[in-house]
Amino acid sequence: MSSIYGDWLKEQREAAGLTQQHLADSAIMTRSHIAHIEAGRRIPSKEDARRLDRALNTGNVLSSFLPQEEVAVAGYFEAARLLEQQAVMIRESAVTFVPGILQTKKYAQAVLGTTFPPLSDEERDKRLVTRLERAKILADPVTPAFWALLDEGVLYRLVGGRHVMAEQLIHLVHLVESGRIRVHVMPRGTGAYPVMQGMLSLMWFEDQPPVAYSEGIRVAKIHDAPAIVDQLQGAYHLALSDALPLGESLALLKATAKDHGHDDA
């Protein structure tokens, strides 16, 4: 997200002689939420913006100029990346590719190779490094708690070839068996189900309202309006109720890795 909105908020707060905590108290928000908005890492909900306007006596400026229009993935994902670094719980669904945080290097290289127009070698390498850096949040043994809901088709799509797919699935197996993540597979026979329209990431925080991030072709959006986030959470959990249990999902990951040529799966 552009920091222009956050910079203006900070200017108005300081002009009013308020600390972040004073503004947070007046607007019924947390200080850290104010800090993230000012730094350009968060977009306030419409209700938050209205409360900020009232607290700062800025009319409806903050409400009217919320940066919530859909933009290209590249423009929005930096904000989503920063959010996932702060999250204490993440639940993702994927119908096409393994979620970025869970991708191996070779799998990620194959995914980035599908970009059109093609990326330069330098740009592809930069994006690869960024993607692999994201996975480091799983180095913490506890936070964030991470669940992935994968369409069964993700397991069979030969991204990078059989060897790459086998390696990717075994990587998921190791993460599940270590207890670091949960993976639930949506069987191909389920038919249509909620959240199958694209990628969805739900994020919860220690002292901030939850948000959702959705992604499609060339567009992505961060949702923090409480009603929308509630709807997306409900859709995710409704879909999850039709997915395979953890044990059956793990067995399917192993079996599919073996089908792709991994002898030890």
Side-chain angles (χ1 to χ4, degrees):
M1 164 178 126
S2 168
S3 63
I4 295 174
Y5 187 93
D7 288 344
W8 194 85
L9 171 62
K10 182 178 180 180
E11 289 174 6
Q12 299 308 306
R13 174 180 61 77
E14 292 179 342
L18 299 176
T19 65
Q20 289 181 341
Q21 187 61 60
H22 289 150
L23 178 57
D25 292 341
S26 297
I28 317 175
M29 299 166 66
T30 64
R31 187 208 61 77
S32 60
H33 196 181
I34 298 292
H36 288 311
I37 294 171
E38 290 186 351
R41 294 190 294 265
R42 297 294 300 272
I43 300 172
S45 66
K46 290 182 179 179
E47 180 56 35
D48 285 341
R50 283 193 288 268
R51 289 200 298 266
L52 288 169
D53 272 328
R54 287 196 295 269
L56 292 169
N57 196 28
T58 49
N60 65 348
V61 176
L62 290 163
S63 303
S64 299
F65 293 97
L66 280 172
Q68 291 185 327
E69 296 300 316
E70 289 189 350
V71 299
V73 172
Y76 242 104
F77 188 71
E78 177 60 13
R81 185 188 68 81
L82 291 169
L83 287 170
E84 71 184 15
Q85 301 297 311
Q86 305 162 33
V88 296
M89 181 165 61
I90 300 175
R91 296 182 181 177
E92 291 201 3
S93 67
V95 296
T96 306
F97 298 120
V98 171
I101 289 175
L102 305 179
Q103 291 178 7
T104 63
K105 180 178 180 180
K106 291 180 180 178
Y107 187 96
Q109 285 175 322
V111 172
L112 291 171
T114 66
T115 303
F116 185 85
L119 300 171
S120 66
D121 290 345
E122 180 181 2
E123 181 62 24
R124 186 167 58 250
D125 289 345
K126 286 169 59 178
R127 294 196 187 187
L128 177 63
V129 169
T130 298
R131 186 160 301 186
L132 297 178
E133 284 289 319
R134 290 172 56 207
K136 290 184 177 180
I137 64 173
L138 297 179
D140 185 304
V142 177
T143 305
F146 193 98
W147 294 12
L149 172 62
L150 303 182
D151 189 276
E152 189 175 354
V154 173
L155 280 56
Y156 293 99
R157 183 166 291 107
L158 294 178
V159 176
R162 293 191 178 280
H163 175 75
V164 171
M165 281 305 304
E167 180 184 64
Q168 175 64 70
L169 296 182
I170 290 303
H171 176 61
L172 296 179
V173 167
H174 290 161
L175 287 172
V176 172
E177 290 186 330
S178 71
R180 185 60 189 83
I181 70 171
R182 295 180 66 93
V183 172
H184 295 272
V185 178
M186 181 66 75
R188 288 181 291 187
T190 302
Y193 59 91
V195 306
M196 69 178 293
Q197 297 91 340
M199 175 269 185
L200 175 65
S201 179
L202 304 171
M203 291 174 272
W204 287 262
F205 307 89
E206 187 172 323
D207 60 354
Q208 305 166 51
V211 301
Y213 171 75
S214 60
E215 189 174 299
I217 299 176
R218 294 279 182 172
V219 292
K221 189 172 180 63
I222 292 175
H223 310 269
D224 64 359
I228 299 299
V229 175
D230 284 347
Q231 289 174 8
L232 293 173
Q233 289 175 352
Y236 182 94
H237 291 110
L238 181 59
L240 188 65
S241 68
D242 286 328
L244 296 177
L246 181 64
E248 293 180 29
S249 296
L250 179 60
L252 183 57
L253 287 172
K254 290 180 177 180
T256 310
K258 188 172 184 179
D259 289 343
H260 288 319
H262 192 281
D263 295 334
D264 298 329

